[in-house]
Amino acid sequence: MIDGLIFDKDGTLFDFRQSWGGWAARLLAEVEPDADRRAVLAQSIGFDAARMDFAADSPVIAATAPEIAEAMLPHLAPEAASSLVDRMNLLAAEAPTVEAVPLVPLFTALKARGLKIGLATNDTEIPARTHLRKHGVLELFDFVAGYDSGYGGKPAPGQLLAFAGQMGLDPSRIAMVGDSRHDMEAGRAAGMTCVAVLTGIALQDELAPHADLVLDHIGALPGWLDSLSGAALTA
C-alpha cells in the first residue's frame, strides 16, 4: 500500500517544454546580447531556441541552478557570470508554468485518500513554493524541498528521506513520482516505489529500466492507487 507521494516539479506537475522553453529563451537573451554567442550558450545547455525544446541530456531538465550555470560559465563574460545563478532563480520564480493536468482537482482527490504529499525539486525552494501557490495547490502539500533546503538535491535521496522522516512514514510505502532518471535514482536510493511520467523530455524507453511503472501523466495516479487497493483486497 502507499501512504505518501513525493513529486518532482518540472516535467511532472508542469509540462516541461511549455514551462521552461520561455525561461531559457529569456535567460539567454538577458545574459548574452550577441546572437552568435547566444547560440553557443544555448548549445551549452542543450536548448534549441528555434523549436523551444531541449536535448535529452540538457542540464536544465534535472540539474540545480549552479550546475546549469557551470555549463554556461565558460561561454560568458565575467560580468554576466557573477550574478548568473541569482538571475536564473529570479526568472524561475516568474516562469509561466503550465500544468501537466489540472492540479487542484487531482491533489484534492489525493489528499482525500489520506495520503501525505511532498515535493522534491532541484529548483530552489522559494520558486517552488511560488509555483505551487500560483496554481492553488501549495496548501495541499505537506512538505516542499528545493536543492537549497538543507537535504541536498537529486539524484541523492536526502529530500525524499526527509519527507519520510518528517511525515513518520516507511519509505517502502511512499512513491516517488518524476519525469527524469535523476528522480528514479533518488527514489530507488530512498527505498521507495518509483513512478515515471512522460510529461518531461525523457521517453518511456529511457525511464522504464529505472522505474517500477511508467504513466503518461500524474492524472493516472488515482487509477494506479485503486489497482493497488484492489490487489490488496483480493490477496
Side-chain angles (χ1 to χ4, degrees):
M1 297 296 292
I2 296 296
D3 299 322
L5 299 168
I6 185 161
F7 293 83
D8 169 59
K9 181 168 68 70
D10 303 313
T12 302
L13 303 186
F14 305 112
D15 181 277
F16 195 90
R17 290 176 177 86
Q18 294 186 68
S19 300
W20 292 95
W23 171 87
R26 184 176 173 188
L27 175 67
L28 294 172
E30 287 195 9
V31 301
E32 181 51 76
D34 181 83
D36 290 337
R37 290 197 295 267
R38 189 162 61 245
V40 172
L41 199 58
Q43 187 175 23
S44 74
I45 59 169
F47 178 59
D48 185 331
R51 296 172 56 236
M52 296 290 279
D53 202 358
F54 296 87
D57 60 352
S58 168
V60 178
I61 296 169
T64 65
E67 290 168 338
I68 299 168
E70 187 176 348
M72 299 172 67
L73 289 176
H75 311 286
L76 283 174
E79 60 271 18
S82 62
S83 60
L84 181 58
V85 171
D86 288 343
R87 192 62 192 152
M88 292 169 70
N89 288 332
L90 179 61
L91 292 178
E94 300 171 354
T97 45
V98 177
E99 296 180 3
V101 302
L103 296 182
V104 169
L106 173 63
F107 280 93
T108 300
L110 293 175
K111 290 294 290 184
R113 293 171 178 259
L115 296 167
K116 297 296 184 182
I117 305 294
L119 184 82
T121 176
N122 278 355
D123 198 354
T124 52
E125 182 176 336
I126 290 176
R129 289 183 177 275
T130 298
H131 295 156
L132 295 179
R133 185 179 298 108
K134 184 191 309 182
H135 291 272
V137 293
L138 178 59
E139 294 75 14
L140 298 172
F141 279 75
D142 302 291
F143 175 93
V144 177
Y147 80 84
D148 60 341
S149 300
Y151 314 115
K154 298 171 292 184
Q159 295 170 321
L160 282 60
L161 294 174
F163 170 66
Q166 291 185 27
M167 298 299 108
L169 300 179
D170 182 340
S172 69
R173 294 172 68 95
I174 299 173
M176 170 66 210
V177 185
D179 69 298
S180 74
R181 182 170 174 175
H182 270 22
D183 298 322
M184 300 301 98
E185 290 175 350
R188 192 70 66 207
M192 298 179 178
T193 299
C194 297
V195 180
V197 292
L198 300 176
T199 41
I201 303 299
L203 303 176
Q204 177 156 343
D205 289 348
E206 300 170 60
L207 293 171
H210 309 284
D212 294 300
L213 74 157
V214 181
L215 302 175
D216 287 339
H217 49 70
I218 57 174
L221 285 170
W224 172 64
L225 293 167
D226 287 343
S227 73
L228 296 180
S229 299
L233 289 172
T234 57

